[in-house]
Amino acid sequence: MTSTESATRADALAAGERFAALEDSTDHVELAHDILAWAAATYGERLIVASNMQDAVLVKLGAEARPGVDVLFLETGYHFAETLGTRDAVAQVYGVNIVEAHPELTVAEQDERFGKDLFASDPGACCTMRKVEPLKKTLALYDAWVTGVRRVEAPTRANTPLVTWDEKHGLAKVNPIAHWSDEQMDAYIADHAVLVNPLVGEGYPSIGCRPCTAKPAPGADPRSGRWAGFTKTECGLHG
């Protein structure tokens, strides 16, 4: 790590501590705005907001902090049509710049090289090639990325900090809504008429690639519909 990277890392971790100290005394929406205002001022055009297009909460907040902000979308080749439609609507409504990250291989090329429907036999390998590697290449062009990871989504996310240093990718990682509850998310969406992927209303509370996303059983964990039948619970983007 260079001296510049070391200083950037220290700044990100210090910011994380400052914002963490405000969690109990600051309105959750106000705190998210403050975090993103800091990120926009600190990183400028080297900041990118990641979105899986389940909803546009993070995109809306990011665009308010930095109009025209870059928004990262992992084009895996396996998305629901509704997700692609939401992506297009988000670009128009919020005036952001969609940055698509594509895998090295097309779906057809992957099928030819590794066997048809790799997601069914080795979903980890499929996620690595179609999500993790494209993400890594894209993030190399930025100094910070903003994610919509929230602590209530899964036990693996329970300790997500508001701002941290992403050791894996070598840049700051900003999680401005990490502390939001499901009820707070729903209220914000309703109060601000935020765009939402229509699949959410059809019973998909956690949306990923079409072949690896199913509707959870009533009362089940919202993420239980992801990679059903496998022990896999994360695609590898956040760990």
Side-chain angles (χ1 to χ4, degrees):
M1 181 179 291
T2 67
S3 58
T4 299
E5 290 173 331
S6 181
T8 302
R9 178 182 185 276
D11 289 345
L13 293 176
E17 292 180 0
R18 291 198 305 273
F19 289 122
L22 299 174
E23 276 196 55
D24 295 332
S25 60
T26 307
D27 173 76
H28 64 286
V29 177
E30 180 183 347
L31 183 55
H33 279 300
D34 290 346
I35 294 168
L36 285 165
W38 165 82
T42 301
Y43 303 107
E45 64 182 14
R46 301 281 290 181
L47 177 73
I48 191 166
V49 176
S51 177
N52 66 353
M53 300 301 163
Q54 179 160 318
D55 61 65
V57 170
L58 191 66
V59 173
K60 180 181 186 300
L61 292 168
E64 290 172 349
R66 181 174 173 77
V69 69
D70 285 356
V71 172
L72 171 61
F73 179 71
L74 298 176
E75 177 46 288
T76 65
Y78 284 119
H79 285 298
F80 288 95
E82 291 87 345
T83 299
L84 300 179
T86 302
R87 173 203 60 192
D88 296 341
V90 161
Q92 292 186 355
V93 171
Y94 300 103
V96 294
N97 178 45
I98 302 295
V99 176
E100 290 195 351
H102 292 264
E104 181 179 343
L105 303 177
T106 66
V107 170
E109 290 169 341
Q110 180 174 294
D111 284 348
E112 182 177 358
R113 186 174 302 184
F114 297 98
K116 184 173 174 56
D117 296 344
L118 181 63
F119 56 80
S121 59
D122 192 344
C126 189
C127 282
T128 295
M129 286 188 283
R130 310 207 72 76
K131 292 184 177 181
V132 178
E133 292 175 356
L135 175 73
K136 182 178 180 179
K137 290 181 180 179
T138 304
L139 291 186
L141 304 174
Y142 295 86
D143 292 333
W145 66 310
V146 182
T147 88
V149 171
R150 292 186 299 123
R151 296 166 187 161
V152 298
E153 292 174 323
T156 53
R157 302 181 176 188
N159 297 314
T160 299
L162 297 173
V163 181
T164 189
W165 180 255
D166 187 335
E167 302 287 353
K168 182 177 180 179
H169 297 107
L171 78 170
K173 186 175 184 181
V174 184
N175 308 301
I177 59 173
H179 56 304
W180 287 25
S181 67
D182 289 339
E183 293 74 18
Q184 289 170 334
M185 281 287 289
D186 291 342
Y188 186 86
I189 289 170
D191 291 345
H192 298 273
V194 176
L195 285 178
V196 175
N197 191 316
L199 291 173
V200 173
E202 294 179 15
Y204 292 86
S206 181
I207 302 167
C209 291
R210 176 178 41 77
C212 299
T213 302
K215 292 182 183 180
D221 186 299
R223 288 183 64 83
S224 63
R226 304 289 294 278
W227 306 287
F230 292 90
T231 57
K232 180 177 174 63
T233 59
E234 296 280 356
C235 54
L237 299 179
H238 301 288

